[in-house]
Amino acid sequence: MRSTDPDLLKEYALKIWHYKQGEVVSLMVHLGDRLGLYQAMAGGEELTSGELAERTGLSERWVREWLLGQAAAGLIERAPDVGFSLSAEGEEVLVNDDALAFSAGAFIGGLPPERIQEVVDAFHTGIGVTYHQLGEPLARQVDRMNKAWVGAFLVERVLPCVDGLVGMLEAGCRVAEVGSGGGITVRTLAERFPASTVDGYEPSGIASSRARHRIRGLPNATIHRAGGEELADDGRYDLVLALDCMHDVPFPDRIAAAVRHSLKDDGVWLIKDMHCSDVFEDNLKNPMLAMLYGYSLSACLLSATSEEGAAGLGTVGFHPVEAERIIREAGFSAIREFRLKEDPTHNYYEVRP
């Protein structure tokens, strides 16, 4: 295998993700033009998300996520009192279609028309669609992007950070993964720790079908087409995993309560989720923040608002403050947050009853 320079590798990867961020922000510009959001901001008046939602007749939660993403991208301005405004130059480029500088019409969204329509509908209704409804392409994309992080990296770098966990798995224990997706983690753990049994809980029929195919031939692995709320409530599990999914689920509080009832008294809940803050200005330190808000509006928030009354956290919604609130209200008493230098994108939480 060819050797790489760590600094050059980081620089190259960041360059690639800047191109991806441009693709995602392009969709947000298309939505701003298509939904009349830029037009409603014309004139330079400072507006809150609620005021802009009322002016456009759209869902406040969705308008808020769009505004924060646009502010992260530097296309609109955000005042300290959480008001948003569009500069005169922004109005010329994004609103005034008689101006030579007008550009918003050049952005067509990048996603299939039916997928963009789902996002547009969610702005109007406030209700998104499930991960299953987002289809096979997204399930495949998630598998491709997650393979290294929820496979070998999980076993080699993450699990050893929790005292005694690897030894417990080697000796044989019961494991559940909430939001197991295409089954990469389930297969990895079942192969690496043959004395343990691993159950994956995945509500998407598309993802669970991919997972069942992936674990074929492993006697100690099972996939349940079920949400995390449906975990067995008899305290059977030694370890429950929730990897990058708590911000996607409609009711994270219900997941947390179900995990508490499914765990043994000396069990561990290991959570991985986005590294972010509850303070927008702190999040601006992330050069990919605009992309994260774009991902939220085109995938994560869609899933997180797919039921009436959902929490609707979205991509940067499961920050440490919200995480601790949800975890403690579910009855857990011990929380340890940790990070890994190789994974600047995520926070990890070791949670115990």
Side-chain angles (χ1 to χ4, degrees):
M1 187 174 180
R2 296 167 65 192
S3 62
T4 58
D5 180 299
D7 292 332
L8 291 178
L9 178 60
K10 185 182 298 184
E11 181 183 325
Y12 193 97
L14 187 61
K15 183 186 298 184
I16 285 290
W17 282 104
H18 272 299
Y19 287 123
K20 181 63 179 179
Q21 179 164 250
E23 173 192 316
V24 176
V25 172
S26 293
L27 172 60
M28 299 306 103
V29 173
H30 170 75
L31 291 170
D33 182 52
R34 179 168 171 174
L35 292 165
L37 289 158
Y38 293 128
Q39 292 85 342
M41 297 182 75
E45 180 184 357
E46 187 176 297
L47 299 169
T48 66
S49 57
E51 290 166 340
L52 184 58
E54 183 177 358
R55 187 172 290 187
T56 56
L58 300 172
S59 163
E60 186 277 334
R61 177 66 187 91
W62 283 76
V63 168
R64 184 180 359 132
E65 199 84 342
W66 179 84
L67 283 167
L68 289 168
Q70 291 287 279
L75 297 180
I76 65 173
E77 296 169 7
R78 182 178 184 273
D81 58 357
V82 199
F84 300 86
S85 61
L86 182 65
S87 68
E89 293 76 19
E91 185 172 332
E92 193 79 349
V93 173
L94 298 169
V95 178
N96 185 5
D97 56 10
D98 289 324
L100 293 177
F102 178 71
S103 305
F107 292 79
I108 59 174
L111 293 176
E114 62 273 15
R115 178 82 175 279
I116 297 176
Q117 188 60 51
E118 290 171 343
V119 179
V120 169
D121 291 343
F123 267 92
H124 286 284
T125 65
I127 306 297
V129 297
T130 66
Y131 179 57
H132 174 78
Q133 290 171 306
L134 291 173
E136 174 73 27
L138 182 63
R140 186 170 57 249
Q141 180 189 35
V142 169
D143 275 6
R144 288 278 292 152
M145 286 304 302
N146 282 351
K147 182 180 178 183
W149 296 101
V150 300
F153 184 79
L154 176 72
V155 171
E156 295 167 8
R157 286 291 292 117
V158 181
L159 298 184
C161 292
V162 180
D163 285 346
L165 190 54
V166 172
M168 183 175 72
L169 287 160
E170 288 176 337
C173 64
R174 297 196 69 170
V175 182
E177 184 187 11
V178 173
S180 53
I184 295 171
T185 298
V186 173
R187 180 180 180 88
T188 299
L189 294 180
E191 286 182 327
R192 172 64 179 80
F193 305 106
S196 292
T197 59
V198 188
D199 293 334
Y201 287 78
E202 173 53 56
S204 166
I206 293 171
S208 59
S209 177
R210 292 174 66 86
R212 288 194 181 105
H213 178 77
R214 181 170 271 123
I215 67 165
R216 191 175 298 165
L218 289 171
N220 60 330
T222 306
I223 299 297
H224 307 270
R225 186 180 175 186
E229 300 93 334
E230 299 172 77
L231 279 167
D233 62 358
D234 55 3
R236 69 177 60 179
Y237 292 114
D238 299 279
L239 170 66
V240 176
L241 303 168
L243 306 177
D244 234 350
C245 68
M246 289 296 285
H247 67 265
D248 291 311
V249 299
F251 300 103
D253 54 336
R254 296 180 187 175
I255 300 287
V259 173
R260 179 65 186 87
H261 288 107
S262 76
L263 268 180
K264 295 178 180 178
D265 290 340
D266 59 351
V268 179
W269 183 17
L270 181 61
I271 304 171
K272 168 190 174 184
D273 219 283
M274 296 303 299
H275 173 59
C276 56
S277 168
D278 59 325
V279 179
F280 178 77
E281 286 73 18
D282 291 342
N283 288 332
L284 282 173
K285 298 171 186 174
N286 184 345
M288 296 289 111
L289 182 62
M291 182 181 71
L292 295 183
Y293 279 113
Y295 272 154
S296 190
L297 288 165
S298 59
C300 300
L301 189 61
L302 275 173
S303 174
T305 59
S306 59
E307 296 183 44
E308 288 279 359
L313 296 185
T315 305
V316 292
F318 196 77
H319 48 72
V321 174
E322 183 69 2
E324 181 163 0
R325 182 192 69 77
I326 291 171
I327 291 166
R328 293 203 181 279
E329 287 183 1
F332 290 94
S333 60
I335 307 169
R336 181 177 74 92
E337 179 184 345
F338 63 95
R339 298 190 64 203
L340 298 171
K341 64 179 182 180
E342 303 97 326
D343 184 9
T345 306
H346 294 98
N347 292 332
Y348 293 85
Y349 304 87
E350 174 191 344
V351 182
R352 296 181 182 269

